[in-house]
Amino acid sequence: MSAGFAPEATLARELATLAQQGLARQRRELGTACGAHVDVDGRRLLAFASNDYLGLANDARIVAALAEGARQWGAGAGASHLLGGHLHPHQALEEALAALVGLPRALTFSTGFMANLAVLPTLAGRGAAIFADRLNHASLIDGALLAKAHGAQVRRYPHNNVAALARMLAASTAACKIIVSDAVFSMDGDLAPVAELYALAVQHDCWLLLDDAHGFGVLGENGAGTCAHLGIAPDARLILMGTLGKAAGVGGAFVAGSEALIETLIHRARSYIFTTAAPPALAAALCVAVNILADEEERRAHLRALIARLKARLKGLPWQLLPSDTAIQPLLVGENHAALALSQALWQDGIWAPAIRPPTVPAGTARLRISLSAAHSLDDVDRLADALARHAETQFSNQEKQP
Ligand SMILES: *Cc1c(COP(=O)(O)O)cnc(C)c1O
């Protein structure tokens, strides 16, 4: 832009280096609504790139509720929740969410990222210690960093390593301890050992913060989430975070927990207090979405059928699916350029399965993140499997030709 501005030239050099490492990122502009089939640059693509696990993002009933919500409640909330921006649909949504997940209260946030920035710094100040899984979502990591700035200690344990966590907890003298984990890991699709984490939380008198962004709506009876799926009855130590832009199809997030926890967040959480409430129409649409999500068990049944089909069809490929029973089915490729090349080859076939590379995942574990949705058909999964089988063959016959 302005010639000779050195900091900008530095940025340009850093971006060029990222591109050389196969780490350039690109946004794709969709010309159609979220769905199994989307238009990009005038081409129709079969997409495995959303977190719309139940196919609700473009559900006519939710769209109608959004439009009606705007007519009744206006376009904007006009203020933060504490300053007059807490409208009836916001309250109704909180009550519906708390009832669904079986906790006394829920509090909604504009995004999951903001919810995760709220909890840890509010609960963990000087004298507190946070114990976090190494593969936690970026927003939990940043929440922990904010808590650290308030004086909390932050320890990270190896992914799902309960024994290591137990040793850290036993060695800690912190007055307030918080165990923090994704319930379903966003780039691996595996579950946290929630029952074991819960037992440790009881033993060591800790809070347990679970981020159920990918389990809420997808797992458990009525889509109540990972705890319901695992048969874990929540108590006062559980802080459950869920997002509303994935399975619920709209946007936003919530934290559910005990009365005192939620009341404390309302009084102290900066990313709750110092921000305008989400438009009430979104909350109205979410009330309908949460009802649909809870009622339509067949969406989860169809999703499970798609997962089973994908696993059956991808056996015998040179790339392995990571062990996951959730809608997130990562196909491990390894090297950045190879993952990118496979993703691009599929793109040529009209199939969108994004390559996920570092820093989102550890170096050497670049992958295709195949994300299934109830909006997909079994034929859609077969088309992806056929294409991957073709590319596996070409790749291997090419390798054999090399000396
Ligand atoms: C998507 C995601 C978030 C952030 O939620 P948003 O509502 O999209 O901001 C938080 N945690 C996990 C594990 C996620 O996958």
Side-chain angles (χ1 to χ4, degrees):
M1 294 289 281
S2 52
F5 180 54
E8 201 260 352
T10 305
L11 293 184
R13 267 197 312 279
E14 286 168 359
L15 287 169
T17 306
L18 285 179
Q20 276 163 14
Q21 296 166 340
L23 291 176
R25 308 279 185 127
Q26 189 184 7
R27 298 176 306 167
R28 304 285 190 179
E29 183 183 333
L30 279 70
T32 48
C34 177
H37 301 267
V38 296
D39 285 356
V40 178
D41 300 331
R43 276 180 75 217
R44 182 119 279 224
L45 294 168
L46 169 57
F48 295 93
S50 84
N51 299 314
D52 179 27
Y53 302 129
L54 297 181
L56 293 180
N58 195 23
D59 184 279
R61 297 163 291 178
I62 301 172
V63 172
L66 184 60
E68 178 49 33
R71 264 190 293 274
Q72 190 173 353
W73 301 101
S80 65
H81 283 276
L82 284 174
L83 261 186
H86 188 64
L87 280 69
H88 170 71
H90 295 123
Q91 182 67 29
L93 176 60
E94 289 181 358
E95 289 170 14
L97 289 166
L100 177 55
V101 299
L103 283 158
R105 279 185 80 182
L107 188 69
T108 58
F109 288 80
S110 298
T111 71
F113 207 108
M114 288 171 70
N116 278 343
L117 290 186
V119 177
L120 292 174
T122 299
L123 294 184
R126 200 168 308 286
I130 292 167
F131 302 86
D133 189 289
R134 273 206 177 281
L135 294 192
N136 276 350
H137 190 262
S139 55
L140 284 176
I141 295 172
D142 286 8
L145 284 175
L146 270 178
K148 198 170 173 180
H150 294 212
Q153 239 193 345
V154 181
R155 306 282 316 268
R156 295 173 81 190
Y157 59 87
H159 178 51
N160 280 351
N161 191 329
V162 177
L165 171 61
R167 282 193 297 276
M168 284 182 188
L169 286 167
S172 170
T173 55
C176 168
K177 301 179 193 137
I178 311 177
I179 302 171
V180 185
S181 180
D182 282 20
V184 175
F185 286 84
S186 51
M187 294 301 142
D188 294 66
D190 59 335
L191 300 189
V194 179
E196 288 88 340
L197 297 182
Y198 221 105
L200 283 176
V202 171
Q203 189 186 339
H204 295 275
D205 218 20
C206 317
W207 294 101
L208 174 60
L209 168 57
L210 284 181
D211 176 337
D212 209 13
H214 303 279
F216 177 73
V218 175
L219 297 174
E221 199 177 347
N222 301 124
T226 304
C227 286
H229 173 69
L230 296 173
I232 293 164
D235 66 12
R237 75 190 64 248
L238 180 68
I239 307 168
L240 177 69
M241 178 275 190
T243 60
L244 301 169
K246 289 166 182 160
V250 182
F254 67 92
V255 174
S258 72
E259 183 70 37
L261 170 82
I262 298 301
E263 208 49 43
T264 300
L265 289 173
I266 292 172
H267 281 79
R268 296 230 292 265
R270 294 167 66 83
S271 68
Y272 183 78
I273 298 170
F274 298 104
T275 191
T276 302
L282 285 181
L286 277 163
C287 286
V288 171
V290 168
N291 262 329
I292 294 174
L293 166 156
D295 285 351
E296 299 187 352
E297 212 58 64
E298 63 273 20
R299 290 176 182 273
R300 280 179 285 281
H302 179 54
L303 187 58
R304 286 193 295 271
L306 295 167
I307 294 166
R309 177 77 140 243
L310 184 78
K311 287 182 169 194
R313 287 290 323 269
L314 297 198
K315 283 209 173 89
L317 287 181
W319 315 286
Q320 295 299 306
L321 277 177
L322 295 180
S324 157
D325 289 318
T326 67
I328 303 164
Q329 292 289 324
L331 190 68
L332 190 64
V333 177
E335 199 270 322
N336 297 341
H337 288 99
L340 205 53
L342 184 57
S343 180
Q344 281 164 349
L346 289 171
W347 185 268
Q348 294 307 314
D349 301 329
I351 298 174
W352 185 3
I356 307 289
R357 291 155 285 161
T360 311
V361 294
T365 71
R367 63 199 66 180
L368 296 191
R369 183 177 185 271
I370 301 167
S371 170
L372 295 171
S373 161
H376 289 124
S377 66
L378 290 169
D379 285 348
D380 291 335
V381 169
D382 286 341
R383 207 180 128 199
L384 170 64
D386 292 342
L388 282 168
R390 269 200 315 279
H391 293 305
E393 234 169 67
T394 352
Q395 175 185 306
F396 275 74
S397 57
N398 283 348
Q399 278 185 356
E400 277 157 25
K401 277 179 217 142
Q402 281 163 13

